Amino acid sequence: MPHTPDCSKCGSSMAAGFVLDQTDSFYVVGKWIAGAPVKSIWTGLKLRGRDQHEITTFRCGRCGFLESYALST
Ligand SMILES: [Zn+2]
């Protein structure tokens, strides 16, 4: 997980978390996908061969600003 940054808008401390993604049956962590979204009638979106990284998002407790990182693992 990236080092917790200070808010770039107001300078307050931020808290680490993630943006929730959801399917019909379970919860997952949101991912960054390389390129523009291409729809698929089978899976919703075509992801094959795309660079993918789980997203860590920090939230400022004072102003609510979100700062996201999609690091390589
Ligand atoms: Zn802030």
Side-chain angles (χ1 to χ4, degrees), residues 7-70:
C7 179
S8 62
K9 302 298 180 185
C10 74
S12 295
S13 61
M14 302 184 89
F18 61 91
V19 175
L20 181 67
D21 200 355
Q22 188 173 355
T23 69
D24 287 342
S25 55
F26 56 95
Y27 301 117
V28 294
V29 177
K31 289 183 179 180
W32 176 88
I33 310 295
V38 177
K39 290 186 178 175
S40 163
I41 59 172
W42 306 108
T43 61
L45 289 170
K46 294 181 179 178
L47 303 178
R48 185 177 301 226
R50 299 289 190 98
D51 196 15
Q52 302 184 25
H53 301 283
E54 287 192 352
I55 300 169
T56 299
T57 300
F58 295 92
R59 178 184 178 273
C60 174
R62 184 177 180 190
C63 75
F65 179 70
L66 299 178
E67 185 168 318
S68 296
Y69 294 82

